[in-house]
Amino acid sequence: MRHHHFFLSFLLILSATTYGQNNTVNSNELDTSTATDSTEVAPKINLDSIQFKPLSEMLDEESYWKIIETSLKETTTQEDQELFLSSALEKLSPKEMIGFRLRTDKLMFDSYTSNLWCANYIVSNGTADDGFDYFRCWLISRGKDAYYKTQENSDYLVHLVGNEPHAYDFEGFWYVANNAFKNQTHKDVEAYIDYENFQTTDEHYPILEFNWNVDDPKTMEKVCPVLFKKFWKK
């Protein structure tokens, strides 16, 4: 009888131990599975890209021109320059990308002049009258000195172009900041621009009073005598 009770007790102890070990294993497996799932689904969120109000602050001008100058040193073609600029801007904060776009818009606004339009028309021999925006993008992409010296005297453009009439334009330049912002934040840059306080956009370009006329070439020669002499073929 005592042997019988001992045998039953032994079986109960053995069962309890086995049940406890199984519970421990299952618990460990559950914890591991939960930790793994949590790691995989945790989203990576760029907080800076979504936690600020629309901006009207331009990127510091010296910083802006430094990026342009570096792109000119590191590339030899327009396509490569566009890729370089996009890559460089992606390294900036979302706010700085917006600032780059706003600085570009400001430079575009300031260069919307009758004299510069005349210069563009002459160097293309009359074939780029619809591409003045993209011409100014090209001019900005040539760097600070090129931009401001041409602003002061349109004939300075003769130092930046070739020897034959050509339509100079760089449409992609206008969109490098937009593309960089989209790539980094998956959002559209326009949604983060404060257009109420940033007025130097194409919607606010002034109505130009042209001091030259395509039907009177002498008026163009008066505005840009050096360019006219070299490029006008009509």
Side-chain angles (χ1 to χ4, degrees):
M1 190 72 174
R2 284 180 300 187
H3 289 293
H4 180 69
H5 284 300
F6 174 79
F7 183 71
L8 288 175
S9 298
F10 176 76
L11 288 177
L12 289 172
I13 294 171
L14 181 62
S15 297
T17 302
T18 303
Y19 177 77
Q21 290 176 342
N22 288 339
N23 276 354
T24 301
V25 172
N26 292 337
S27 176
N28 289 339
E29 290 176 352
L30 179 62
D31 291 343
T32 301
S33 176
T34 302
T36 302
D37 292 343
S38 175
T39 301
E40 290 178 352
V41 301
K44 183 179 180 181
I45 301 175
N46 188 341
L47 296 178
D48 188 34
S49 71
I50 61 175
Q51 292 188 347
F52 57 82
K53 296 179 180 179
L55 305 174
S56 60
E57 182 180 352
M58 294 180 288
L59 183 66
D60 171 73
E61 187 167 5
E62 289 307 311
S63 298
Y64 180 94
W65 287 121
K66 185 176 181 180
I67 294 172
I68 302 297
E69 295 296 343
T70 302
S71 74
L72 290 171
K73 292 177 182 178
E74 297 295 329
T75 63
T76 57
T77 68
Q78 189 175 104
E79 292 76 11
D80 287 344
Q81 185 182 14
E82 183 175 349
L83 291 173
F84 182 94
L85 288 170
S86 295
S87 178
L89 293 180
E90 287 179 11
K91 296 179 175 65
L92 302 180
S93 72
K95 292 181 181 180
E96 290 172 322
M97 295 181 213
I98 295 172
F100 186 96
R101 159 63 190 275
L102 295 181
R103 177 64 65 182
T104 298
D105 284 353
K106 177 65 164 59
L107 294 170
M108 292 285 287
F109 186 93
D110 291 344
S111 58
Y112 187 77
T113 66
S114 174
N115 284 0
L116 193 57
W117 201 325
C118 182
N120 175 39
Y121 195 86
I122 292 173
V123 297
S124 67
N125 201 40
T127 63
D129 53 329
D130 293 328
F132 187 42
D133 285 339
Y134 300 144
F135 166 78
R136 282 157 32 242
C137 285
W138 171 82
L139 180 60
I140 296 169
S141 77
R142 297 296 86 198
K144 182 178 180 180
D145 284 347
Y147 176 83
Y148 281 111
K149 288 181 179 179
T150 305
Q151 280 279 78
E152 294 173 4
N153 180 2
S154 298
D155 269 335
Y156 183 81
L157 194 63
V158 74
H159 301 292
L160 307 176
V161 297
N163 294 318
E164 295 297 327
H166 181 73
Y168 293 89
D169 61 75
F170 194 169
E171 179 180 0
F173 180 84
W174 209 347
Y175 304 107
V176 288
N178 301 45
N179 295 336
F181 189 87
K182 184 76 171 181
N183 290 340
Q184 291 300 91
T185 68
H186 306 293
K187 298 178 184 295
D188 294 323
V189 70
E190 286 81 5
Y192 292 90
I193 295 177
D194 180 2
Y195 287 107
E196 290 187 5
N197 292 305
F198 185 78
Q199 296 291 310
T200 50
T201 64
D202 55 342
E203 294 182 357
H204 299 281
Y205 284 170
I207 297 176
L208 294 181
E209 295 183 5
F210 288 94
N211 53 356
W212 56 280
N213 190 321
V214 296
D215 296 324
D216 186 359
K218 290 184 179 180
T219 61
M220 294 189 291
E221 183 179 14
K222 186 175 181 179
V223 175
C224 304
V226 176
L227 292 175
F228 187 87
K229 181 178 180 180
K230 182 173 183 178
F231 292 107
W232 196 250
K233 308 293 183 181
K234 295 183 180 181

